[in-house]
Amino acid sequence: MSFSNTAASIRATLKTPSLAIAIAIATAIVSQPLLAQEDVSAGDKAMNELAALDSHNEDIAALPSLPGLFERALRHDADLDRQRLELEAVQQEEPLARSQLLPQITASGGYLWQDSTNIQTQPDDFGLDQEATRPGEIDEQYWQVQLQQPLFSLERWRGMGRADAQVSAAEFDLALIERDLALKVSEAYVSAYLASRTLGLLEAQQESLELQVRQANRAYELGVGDRINLLEARSRFDQSIADTVEAENELDNALSELERLTGTRPVFEGHRLGNLNELVLQRNAGKLEDWLGRIPHNLDVQRAAAEREINDSDTNVRRSGYFPEVNLNLSYSDRVSDDQLRESEDYRANVEVSMPLFRGGYTVANVRQGELRTAASQKALDNQRNLAAQEIRQRLRSLDGNARRLEALGQAIESSELFLEAAERGEQLGLRDLVDVLDARASLYDQRIQFVDTLGRFVLDRLALESAVGDLESDDLVEVMDLLASITSRPSN
């Protein structure tokens, strides 16, 4: 499963398909949207009115495609484009290093005009009674072709290994940016999805409270209601408006983040929440030791290992300063001149050996510098491993905590539903007042919102955990899809 054509250039060690599954998992998160549960009122008439309100949204629009948004992000993100160009630039290190091992051929030529006065060109000026043996003024053309082939150069050979390590590190840099971009898009997408579900719950609550206010106001006008109940209902209604505005801002912020990342502003429409108590979570995420054993697949760890490889290769190149170099030189030159004594046609072949004997301590200091940088990069690698282990431990604890919280919230929601039903019946029989009903309803909506928010954190923790070990499998995708399908339902037609 591939998430972009760009990732195809990343080497097999980057595990691009794993990141693709991570994107697909996030898609599964949003492929089952949520909406408010059915509103509940204090009286039979209000319950019927709320049932009518719930039936107005029968046509549900499809959610935006998360892979589609990520494809847009791959084309839209300027930092990713910068890193692609940077990778292409670094890839030129390989042919640059290889060129130092191949023959170097140079051609040169020139034109010379010369007017000379000496004993050979002007013997009369020197008191000699003889003819000039060489012309005083000459025109001359010359050209030369020279080939140099390194026969032995340890520094140049080791330069190839350093170039390979640099390219590998640059590929990891690109993979890291793509991974981070995928997680950012997924997080923003899930945040927008959850915010839209929360907004739906709050809007449903607001509609319910609005009906409650009308009912309380009508009862008060007829002289059978309590003014305190009316004020309490209005207070709850005003608070629901404020909560709705806050939820709208959170949704707008999430959509703005998606727009920044992808260049487009998606529109979220949702499904209804089903029976939240049907949610079945896999409480056992596996042994900690098994997760820690997969740390070498972490991209940050692999990038740190690549940096250490660069420094190790560079140190080997520096050590090459202790070794001699052997070069083969071949050349051909031709000189045409008015002066026959200057005319020549030469063929030359020579083998040149050079051995550095003393460079003022430069080689020793250069090698020592490389060794220290290699040691520093090893410490950086150890640090990345520790950070990955810490991330795994934190995500596992968070997954377990969120799973237990979801289980507790599910039980609380079930109890709150029973309590709300009892409060409504009690209010109808005059055994309870409207405040008890409002409290019960507010508690139920709050627990539903907490449930949705906790589920979002659970899914994002799962994505982060798989990202921490650099591996996601198709079973994880099926598990998330089943998880969300168990609490999601479409409105009946």
Side-chain angles (χ1 to χ4, degrees):
M1 194 181 302
S2 175
F3 63 89
S4 73
N5 294 330
T6 303
S9 65
I10 307 302
R11 294 182 177 180
T13 57
L14 302 186
K15 299 185 180 298
T16 298
S18 298
L19 183 55
I21 297 178
I23 299 304
I25 288 182
T27 305
I29 298 173
V30 296
S31 66
Q32 304 288 340
L34 308 173
L35 195 60
Q37 288 220 26
E38 294 183 355
D39 301 323
V40 183
S41 64
D44 292 334
K45 180 179 179 180
M47 293 178 67
N48 293 333
E49 291 177 348
L50 289 175
L53 285 174
D54 279 340
S55 64
H56 79 281
N57 189 22
E58 297 295 333
D59 296 328
I60 302 299
L63 285 171
S65 169
L66 178 57
L69 288 173
F70 184 65
E71 287 291 340
R72 283 180 171 271
L74 289 175
R75 297 189 299 267
H76 179 75
D77 190 71
D79 190 43
L80 185 58
D81 289 337
R82 176 198 61 79
Q83 189 57 46
R84 290 192 186 109
L85 294 174
E86 185 66 26
L87 173 59
E88 292 182 12
V90 175
Q91 286 174 338
Q92 300 308 307
E93 292 293 335
E94 290 182 330
L96 286 174
R98 189 183 305 111
S99 68
Q100 300 302 307
L101 298 172
L102 300 177
Q104 309 294 312
I105 302 176
T106 58
S108 60
Y111 168 80
L112 173 66
W113 174 87
Q114 179 176 306
D115 188 359
S116 301
T117 300
N118 54 48
I119 194 172
Q120 293 179 322
T121 60
Q122 298 290 339
D124 293 342
D125 295 344
F126 295 89
L128 299 177
D129 186 15
Q130 63 182 36
E131 294 182 357
T133 58
R134 303 182 68 180
E137 181 178 336
I138 62 173
D139 288 318
E140 181 176 293
Q141 301 87 32
Y142 63 91
W143 64 278
Q144 175 179 292
V145 177
Q146 184 175 8
L147 179 146
Q148 183 183 65
Q149 171 62 57
L151 299 181
F152 176 79
S153 176
L154 192 59
E155 179 179 0
R156 298 184 184 188
W157 277 106
R158 289 179 173 176
M160 284 289 297
R162 179 175 58 186
D164 290 340
Q166 290 172 334
V167 172
S168 178
E171 289 176 341
F172 278 112
D173 287 334
L174 178 60
L176 281 169
I177 291 181
E178 289 183 341
R179 181 205 66 182
D180 292 342
L181 180 61
L183 291 176
K184 288 178 183 177
V185 172
S186 298
E187 182 177 357
Y189 194 97
V190 172
S191 297
Y193 170 66
L194 297 178
S196 66
R197 299 315 106 218
T198 301
L199 180 60
L201 286 169
L202 290 172
E203 288 176 343
Q205 182 186 36
Q206 182 178 335
E207 292 173 351
S208 174
L209 289 172
E210 184 178 11
L211 288 175
Q212 199 76 65
V213 170
R214 294 205 305 265
Q215 185 184 45
N217 186 61
R218 180 61 176 169
Y220 179 72
E221 290 175 350
L222 295 175
V224 295
D226 189 344
R227 179 173 173 78
I228 294 178
N229 288 340
L230 175 59
L231 294 176
E232 179 70 18
R234 285 179 177 175
S235 176
R236 298 294 181 95
F237 177 69
D238 293 338
Q239 180 62 47
S240 70
I241 293 177
D243 293 340
T244 301
V245 171
E246 182 179 1
E248 289 174 347
N249 290 336
E250 292 178 356
L251 176 59
D252 187 66
N253 290 336
L255 293 177
S256 296
E257 179 67 7
L258 275 175
E259 185 175 13
R260 181 187 70 84
L261 294 171
T262 65
T264 185
R265 189 181 182 90
V267 177
F268 282 80
E269 298 291 344
H271 296 182
R272 299 177 187 271
L273 281 175
N275 187 353
L276 301 182
N277 291 323
E278 293 180 358
L279 178 66
V280 179
L281 295 176
Q282 182 181 358
R283 294 288 301 274
N284 185 14
K287 295 182 179 179
L288 175 61
E289 293 75 14
D290 294 337
W291 287 99
L292 295 178
R294 298 159 66 184
I295 286 179
H297 298 296
N298 181 282
L299 279 178
D300 293 296
V301 172
Q302 291 181 329
R303 176 60 179 85
E307 185 65 27
R308 183 196 60 182
E309 183 65 25
I310 290 176
N311 286 293
D312 189 52
S313 299
D314 183 67
T315 301
N316 289 332
V317 172
R318 295 167 185 253
R319 291 194 182 103
S320 302
Y322 291 115
F323 293 86
E325 286 194 1
V326 182
N327 294 309
L328 170 65
N329 297 312
L330 302 174
S331 66
Y332 168 80
S333 62
D334 186 18
R335 184 182 297 270
V336 179
S337 176
D338 294 339
D339 185 354
Q340 294 182 351
L341 295 179
R342 291 175 58 88
E343 287 190 349
S344 65
E345 184 177 10
D346 299 323
Y347 297 88
R348 295 182 181 179
N350 71 290
V351 176
E352 182 182 65
V353 180
S354 61
M355 177 67 186
L357 298 179
F358 180 70
R359 302 178 64 186
Y362 172 83
T363 303
V364 174
N366 195 36
V367 171
R368 179 57 179 164
Q369 184 183 63
E371 291 173 345
L372 291 173
R373 287 179 175 171
T374 300
S377 61
Q378 178 61 49
K379 296 300 181 182
L381 175 58
D382 295 339
N383 182 58
Q384 285 296 336
R385 287 171 176 163
N386 293 335
L387 290 175
Q390 181 183 18
E391 176 78 3
I392 289 173
R393 292 188 179 96
Q394 289 179 344
R395 295 299 180 178
L396 284 174
R397 285 196 298 267
S398 182
L399 280 171
D400 181 66
N402 286 328
R404 289 188 285 114
R405 179 174 171 79
L406 286 170
E407 182 178 352
L409 284 171
Q411 295 175 355
I413 289 172
E414 184 176 1
S415 299
S416 294
E417 288 173 345
L418 295 175
F419 177 69
L420 177 59
E421 182 180 352
E424 289 171 347
R425 295 305 176 188
E427 192 263 344
Q428 293 174 11
L429 298 174
L431 301 177
R432 289 184 178 273
D433 57 19
L434 180 61
V435 175
D436 294 329
V437 176
L438 293 176
D439 286 339
R441 180 179 292 108
S443 177
L444 178 58
Y445 273 102
D446 182 65
Q447 289 167 355
R448 288 171 176 170
I449 292 173
Q450 290 182 48
F451 191 96
V452 172
D453 183 66
T454 303
L455 181 60
R457 291 199 303 270
F458 179 86
V459 174
L460 291 177
D461 281 336
R462 185 71 186 185
L463 287 175
L465 178 62
E466 295 294 346
S467 176
V469 297
D471 185 28
L472 282 172
E473 298 179 355
S474 58
D475 291 342
D476 301 314
L477 174 61
V478 174
E479 179 183 345
V480 172
M481 293 175 63
D482 293 342
L483 179 68
L484 296 175
S486 65
I487 63 168
T488 307
S489 63
R490 290 179 178 271
S492 59
N493 294 328

